[in-house]
Amino acid sequence: MTKTPIAVEDGQLLEQARQALWQAVTERDEYAAGQAVFALQNAGVSVEDVLLDVVVPVQHKVGTEWAADRLTVAQEHAATAIHDRVIAALSHRPRETGPPGAAGTVTVSCVEGEWHALPARIVAEVLQQRGYRVDFLGAQVPTARLVAHLHQTAPAALALSSSLPTRLPDAHKAITAAQAVGVPVLAGGAAFGPDGRHARQLGADAWAPDARAAVAVLDRGLPRPRTGAIRQTVDDLPHLVDQEYTLVARQKRQLVKNTLAGLDGRLPAMRAYSDAQRERTAEDVGHIVDFLAAALYTDDARLFRGFIGWTGDILEARGVPARVLDPGLALLEQELKDFPRALGFLAQGRAALRGDTSPAPGPHPTV
């Protein structure tokens, strides 16, 4: 059965549903959340529209409110869990298309190390609503296991999801490995950039910014790549010959240790930190190193600068001045004084903290 699309003026119905769902998830009321979306579907709204025009905007608001320090981490996790269960319940409602698999088979998977499964879950459900048979593998799928599954099932495509740019090296491995067994890759998720630039850079066969665009790409069809041909990393990313990414990634633990020691000297207040506070500071420095490594992998200063700016905003929302990040970046510059690309990215990160949006002088000023 095909639902009749709601009229434009009935957009008020969607807004009312978004408000009801927001109230339900912030009050941790799973029953009310279910009622909000089921009532909308019963009123003639398709499951796809419920997911993409109600659940997705509310989930986005959950993230925005957490970033603004108006929701705790626990509240954000509770809301996400409710959304996940609501989606599961919707998946068992009567389908709006023909028999499952009529449009072909697609594997939907998160990149190894990627725990944010909800975006992939939504894409999987939309594809099923459009008549695809979907193997949804969930979060954090080891690349070797993913490729073994693709080899056994030979789907028409792999829809690969990643939200964190720090997982781009793992995404690259998955893309090349899937293509080597003859499966084309459709990449999606925030990690690949708002314009899909990292999907193209890593050699994905296609990129989609959202679930509707993913369906359009798959409906057009993706040609199967030639099997057996495994590209080397530097074939896609020739800048990696300088070894900066490899060395920074391998030295992460030492970089964090040395930076913490330097901060003890520069910030006397740190000497009074509790073990928990020191552990949290070490985690924060570790995240900075991870994003620096991701920027080196992609040779994209925007990636690192954006992370520093976002982190500064998070701190400001919690009453901590963003400038507290600068001493750590300065110490990393000392640690990486022989790494010209890393120095350029760190300089741009420090400029972002000062509110300077112009590219900083360095070896890649236009990146």
Side-chain angles (χ1 to χ4, degrees):
M1 179 179 68
T2 302
K3 294 283 187 182
T4 301
I6 62 172
V8 173
E9 59 267 22
D10 288 336
Q12 184 178 359
L13 191 63
L14 294 175
E15 178 57 29
Q16 291 171 345
R18 287 190 286 266
Q19 292 176 6
L21 182 59
W22 169 251
Q23 180 175 348
V25 298
T26 53
E27 293 177 355
R28 306 179 308 285
D29 189 338
E30 182 177 341
Y31 178 80
Q35 291 298 104
V37 298
F38 297 151
L40 197 59
Q41 190 193 16
N42 292 338
V45 182
S46 69
V47 169
E48 179 178 319
D49 289 343
V50 172
L51 289 172
L52 302 184
D53 297 328
V54 178
V55 175
V56 167
V58 173
Q59 181 64 25
H60 184 266
K61 184 176 181 180
V62 168
T64 300
E65 293 298 290
W66 168 82
D69 201 31
R70 290 189 287 266
L71 288 181
T72 67
V73 171
Q75 289 173 314
E76 184 268 333
H77 283 195
T80 301
I82 290 173
H83 278 154
D84 191 64
R85 291 193 289 273
V86 165
I87 294 167
L90 279 171
S91 71
H92 294 291
R93 305 273 283 187
R95 293 198 178 278
E96 297 155 6
T97 59
T105 301
V106 177
T107 295
V108 178
S109 175
C110 290
V111 170
E112 183 169 352
E114 176 61 70
W115 291 98
H116 297 82
L118 193 64
R121 179 73 179 270
I122 291 171
V123 169
E125 184 55 39
V126 170
L127 288 172
Q128 289 187 106
Q129 291 295 325
R130 293 289 194 100
Y132 285 89
R133 174 179 175 178
V134 176
D135 292 333
F136 176 57
L137 305 187
Q140 215 290 88
V141 182
T143 299
R145 301 296 184 186
L146 171 61
V147 173
H149 176 82
L150 298 176
H151 187 73
Q152 293 168 0
T153 59
L158 165 65
L160 189 67
S161 176
S162 184
S163 296
L164 295 174
T166 54
R167 304 263 56 95
L168 286 173
D170 296 294
H172 197 188
K173 294 174 186 175
I175 290 168
T176 56
Q179 291 168 338
V181 296
V183 178
V185 180
L186 168 63
F192 295 101
D195 56 359
R197 60 182 178 268
H198 296 313
R200 293 186 292 274
Q201 183 184 37
L202 303 184
D205 297 278
W207 167 78
D210 53 44
R212 289 190 176 103
V215 171
V217 170
L218 293 170
D219 282 351
R220 291 193 297 269
L222 292 173
R224 288 194 177 274
R226 182 168 59 90
T227 60
I230 301 180
R231 300 190 310 280
Q232 298 300 311
T233 303
V234 294
D235 293 337
D236 293 326
L237 307 171
H239 55 269
L240 292 181
V241 297
D242 66 11
Q243 295 292 299
E244 287 199 31
Y245 161 74
T246 301
L247 293 171
V248 168
R250 287 178 179 174
Q251 295 175 14
K252 175 186 173 181
R253 181 174 297 183
Q254 192 63 44
L255 287 170
V256 172
K257 180 180 178 180
N258 293 351
T259 301
L260 288 176
L263 288 173
D264 275 338
R266 292 193 177 205
L267 304 174
M270 272 193 61
R271 298 168 194 165
Y273 275 15
S274 66
D275 289 344
Q277 287 174 310
R278 291 190 68 84
E279 183 178 350
R280 181 61 183 271
T281 303
E283 289 177 355
D284 291 342
V285 175
H287 291 322
I288 291 173
V289 175
D290 285 338
F291 273 83
L292 176 60
L296 290 168
Y297 192 84
T298 58
D299 200 31
D300 188 351
R302 293 169 295 182
L303 192 158
F304 185 70
R305 189 171 63 235
F307 168 72
I308 294 298
W310 176 83
T311 303
D313 290 343
I314 295 294
L315 291 173
E316 294 279 356
R318 286 151 179 78
V320 180
R323 64 177 180 273
V324 302
L325 295 170
D326 191 67
L329 297 180
L331 287 164
L332 284 170
E333 285 181 336
Q334 294 178 15
E335 291 290 321
L336 299 171
K337 60 182 181 297
D338 296 324
F339 294 70
R341 284 201 298 130
L343 287 176
F345 297 161
L346 288 164
Q348 292 206 35
R350 298 184 72 185
L353 291 177
R354 297 192 300 269
D356 180 3
T357 58
S358 61
H364 295 273
T366 60
V367 173

